[in-house]
Amino acid sequence: MAKIAYILLCHKDPEAIIRQANRLTATGDYISIHFDASAGPGPYRAIQEALGDNPSVCFAAKRLRCGWGEWSLVQATLNAVEAALESFPRATHFYMVSGDCMAIKTSEYVHDFLDTEDCDYIESFDFFTSDWIKTGFKEERLIYRHYFNERTRKWWFYTSYTWQKRLGLTRKVPADLQMQIGSQWWCLRRRTLELILEFASQRPDVMRFFRTTWIPDETFFQTMVRHLVPETEIRNRTLTFLMFTDYGMPVVFYNDHYDLLLSQDSLFARKISPEATELRARLGLLYATQGIDFRISDEGRNLFRFLTGRGRIGRRFAPRFWEAEASVGRERELMVVVCKKWHVAKRIVESMRQVTNLPAVDYLFNEEDTPLPYLGGIQSSLEKRARHRRAMMRMLFDYFESDRLIICLDPSNIELLHDFYADRSTTKVLEIECEFSDEYLVGHAKRVGLAGELTSGATLERLLPTIRNDVAQETDNLRDAGFSDYHQLNERASEEANADQIAPFLSIGHDQALEIARTPHLFSD
């Protein structure tokens, strides 16, 4: 039968920690505690005195001051794991919890669950190809060295990052590791943790690398497990139920969430509000109870996405006013200028404004600072604009009091075009095909962060064919999509030929189209 050693990282509320430790050890399991050194000696002494006589409790040999996003969180975990491995030789599984976690199943259920399969439970997705990171730094977490805490020493953190980026001071990921990322709340077997500690002692180069990565608690154990354990023995999930808002903040559970939590396909939940005294009391009694038949519906995350996606105006769960209508409108015509060279598209769209007096908006789905009218908040971020793309278009039509609108779009946004074409409105596309010199592609690589000012010529030579191929692939994807009302301008074509494409796109005469095609310096870089 499984014997669990809980690895508890905590930094406050010693009374709650004492209750949690007594509760988790009362049914025969163990707990290893790391209490943050920044909390001072008094609270820690109170915990030691209260739990000192409990043979199922041990403490990390060394306490650390932990900071969010720092290696200190991983090292504190390793310290608690080492203490647990030494103190509890009968422990078969090691389960990470925090002071805000509570069991949402009985001890009986938890042990039966772990006995079902001989495996490790840990989220571990490919760092570079997965979309686990939604916003902010991605590869920057790894290729630059992070010596300062982003929250407490923000200026030093970003100054250090900026100078490393300017000077091209990147580093490589250890060649034999496939970097993974996932939730830091895992449940691992004894042998797995022994392998990780053995690997850590034999590979100081890997440990040096992780010590200066950013948010290593989301990458270290995830990468180590995938590197050391056969894939058939890994379940790519966390057993702790947790959710995050659109703003990256953890969802907090309150008294009325008891039934919801018990119905989830998880063993623990995080975070339980300190003010949810009734919920904490009921979950505290639950763990030692026997004979409960849990009905698993596991609807929590889908329910949360469903409800929060609707917002609140005056009454609970009412739709945001911009979501009242999800179609652009049957009678409306959306004209999309697609071009990889944004300055070229902006020039021709400005000419279209002047010649036709049609309303036009530049790269609103690609540039955060594209000038836009206030639309109730939907226009405030690229993420919101893309999420509510059709509503965004409808509101722009309403704002301009027009049934025809021109926008610019990067060819990488083909999924937006598919969505617009699926709408009841009329959608037209004018693709502008440009020539791309090596100099332009080098500048593009620097603008998007693929290269720096100090990147060597040899590196750029190897990079250019890939970038050129990506640009060509985007064009091929557009043409293979089979969009109707699809028109093309070409940098090498004559002004007359390009005018023949502009005229049907804008539904104007040839003379007006020729005036637009003759836009001064249209294709100049």
Side-chain angles (χ1 to χ4, degrees):
M1 182 176 177
K3 296 280 286 185
I4 307 167
Y6 291 100
I7 307 300
L8 172 60
L9 264 58
C10 48
H11 65 282
K12 61 181 180 180
D13 199 352
E15 292 80 10
I17 299 305
I18 294 167
R19 290 194 297 269
Q20 187 180 37
N22 285 327
R23 182 168 54 245
L24 294 177
T25 59
T27 57
D29 289 316
Y30 314 103
I31 192 166
S32 178
I33 300 173
H34 178 279
F35 194 74
D36 199 312
S38 62
Y44 182 59
R45 190 180 305 114
I47 295 172
Q48 284 185 308
E49 291 174 356
L51 301 174
D53 294 333
N54 189 332
S56 297
V57 177
C58 72
F59 297 89
K62 183 178 181 180
R63 294 170 61 207
L64 302 175
R65 293 179 179 271
C66 297
W68 184 88
E70 290 182 2
W71 171 256
S72 55
L73 285 172
V74 178
Q75 188 60 60
T77 305
L78 291 172
N79 292 352
V81 165
E82 289 175 344
L85 287 170
E86 181 179 351
S87 302
F88 310 127
R90 296 180 59 198
T92 60
H93 294 75
F94 297 75
Y95 195 124
M96 270 283 295
V97 293
S98 74
D100 294 322
C101 295
M102 291 193 74
I104 55 175
K105 298 291 186 295
T106 61
S107 173
E108 180 182 60
Y109 183 100
V110 170
H111 288 85
D112 289 344
F113 182 93
L114 295 179
D115 282 334
T116 302
E117 287 190 277
D118 183 21
C119 61
D120 297 305
Y121 294 91
I122 184 169
E123 273 192 354
S124 52
F125 301 97
D126 187 280
F127 186 95
F128 296 100
T129 62
S130 73
D131 64 346
W132 200 87
I133 299 175
K134 302 299 183 185
T135 60
F137 285 174
K138 189 169 184 177
E139 63 272 9
E140 292 90 345
R141 293 188 182 195
L142 308 178
I143 63 174
Y144 297 109
R145 298 162 181 84
H146 301 281
Y147 299 105
F148 306 101
N149 185 286
E150 192 269 344
R151 292 190 173 180
T152 60
R153 305 178 73 184
K154 190 178 293 288
W155 186 88
W156 282 104
F157 178 90
Y158 286 105
T159 299
S160 170
Y161 159 72
T162 299
W163 278 106
Q164 289 182 72
K165 186 176 181 180
R166 287 180 181 176
L167 297 173
L169 299 178
T170 59
R171 59 177 177 176
K172 294 181 179 179
V173 174
D176 58 331
L177 294 184
Q178 182 178 0
M179 292 298 298
Q180 304 287 310
I181 191 165
S183 168
Q184 63 269 49
W185 309 107
W186 41 254
C187 178
L188 303 178
R189 296 167 297 173
R190 183 182 199 92
R191 180 55 182 158
T192 299
L193 284 171
E194 289 173 341
L195 287 172
I196 291 174
L197 293 177
E198 181 182 354
F199 182 90
S201 66
Q202 295 174 353
R203 293 292 301 275
D205 60 315
V206 172
M207 302 304 283
R208 282 195 300 270
F209 172 80
F210 276 106
R211 283 191 184 99
T212 52
T213 59
W214 192 42
I215 321 181
D217 52 320
E218 294 179 351
T219 56
F220 176 76
F221 287 100
Q222 295 77 3
T223 302
M224 291 295 99
V225 172
R226 283 286 175 184
H227 187 69
L228 299 170
V229 178
E231 184 175 0
T232 55
E233 298 178 21
I234 302 172
R235 300 296 172 264
N236 190 3
R237 58 165 296 192
T238 174
L239 297 179
T240 298
F241 180 64
L242 68 163
M243 298 187 295
F244 290 90
T245 68
D246 290 346
Y247 301 97
M249 299 300 292
V251 173
V252 179
F253 300 109
Y254 294 93
N255 291 333
D256 56 349
H257 289 128
Y258 180 80
D259 292 329
L260 172 73
L261 293 178
L262 265 59
S263 67
Q264 303 313 304
D265 186 20
S266 300
L267 307 183
F268 278 71
R270 185 180 189 276
K271 294 178 142 187
I272 310 299
S273 170
E275 288 76 33
T277 53
E278 180 185 343
L279 177 61
R280 284 182 171 271
R282 296 178 73 183
L283 292 178
L285 294 172
L286 173 71
Y287 192 64
T289 307
Q290 294 184 341
I292 294 182
D293 181 21
F294 292 94
R295 298 180 180 273
I296 307 300
S297 56
D298 204 31
E299 81 293 352
R301 292 183 178 87
N302 290 335
L303 182 62
F304 178 75
R305 283 193 293 267
F306 176 80
L307 295 178
T308 56
R310 277 146 180 79
R312 296 165 177 83
I313 298 292
R315 59 191 177 95
R316 196 179 187 194
F317 305 145
R320 293 181 175 96
F321 68 90
W322 61 68
E323 292 174 327
E325 174 57 69
S327 171
V328 174
R330 187 186 303 276
E331 73 285 357
R332 284 166 167 170
E333 183 176 314
L334 178 63
M335 293 162 283
V336 185
V337 176
V338 180
C339 185
K340 196 67 179 178
K341 289 187 176 181
W342 295 0
H343 57 281
V344 174
K346 290 177 182 180
R347 285 180 193 139
I348 200 168
V349 165
E350 180 57 32
S351 291
M352 292 176 179
R353 284 192 191 98
Q354 295 177 6
V355 172
T356 66
N357 204 31
L358 287 170
V361 180
D362 292 338
Y363 286 87
L364 73 162
F365 293 108
N366 302 104
E367 287 187 303
E368 194 87 51
D369 58 353
T370 296
L372 290 169
Y374 179 73
L375 302 173
I378 192 176
Q379 82 296 333
S380 61
S381 70
L382 289 175
E383 191 273 335
K384 282 188 177 181
R385 298 174 201 171
R387 188 198 309 169
H388 307 292
R389 60 195 70 165
R390 294 192 192 181
M392 178 81 184
M393 289 297 98
R394 186 178 186 89
M395 294 176 73
L396 283 172
F397 277 109
D398 290 341
Y399 175 84
F400 289 115
E401 299 181 347
S402 172
D403 288 335
R404 306 182 72 207
L405 177 66
I406 305 168
I407 67 169
C408 298
L409 201 64
D410 188 271
S412 63
N413 297 128
I414 190 170
E415 75 282 355
L416 294 181
L417 280 176
H418 280 292
D419 192 51
F420 291 143
Y421 267 96
D423 191 72
R424 292 174 296 178
S425 61
T426 299
T427 301
K428 295 180 177 180
V429 169
L430 178 67
E431 180 203 352
I432 305 178
E433 187 176 7
C434 301
E435 300 292 316
F436 296 95
S437 66
D438 287 350
E439 291 76 16
Y440 178 85
L441 292 178
V442 168
H444 172 73
K446 292 178 179 178
R447 284 189 293 274
V448 300
L450 294 174
E453 294 300 326
L454 300 180
T455 303
S456 68
T459 299
L460 290 172
E461 285 184 13
R462 291 194 298 270
L463 192 61
L464 282 176
T466 302
I467 299 174
R468 191 176 293 279
N469 183 66
D470 285 347
V471 172
Q473 185 63 50
E474 290 175 355
T475 299
D476 289 343
N477 291 340
L478 282 170
R479 295 172 186 175
D480 292 343
F483 294 130
S484 59
D485 278 323
Y486 192 91
H487 311 275
Q488 290 175 285
L489 300 191
N490 191 294
E491 184 172 353
R492 293 185 177 181
S494 66
E495 293 173 347
E496 289 283 346
N498 283 336
D500 289 340
Q501 298 293 313
I502 295 171
F505 173 70
L506 294 175
S507 300
I508 58 176
H510 183 77
D511 290 343
Q512 285 183 301
L514 187 59
E515 183 180 351
I516 295 170
R518 288 173 175 169
T519 299
H521 313 293
L522 176 58
F523 292 101
S524 299
D525 289 333

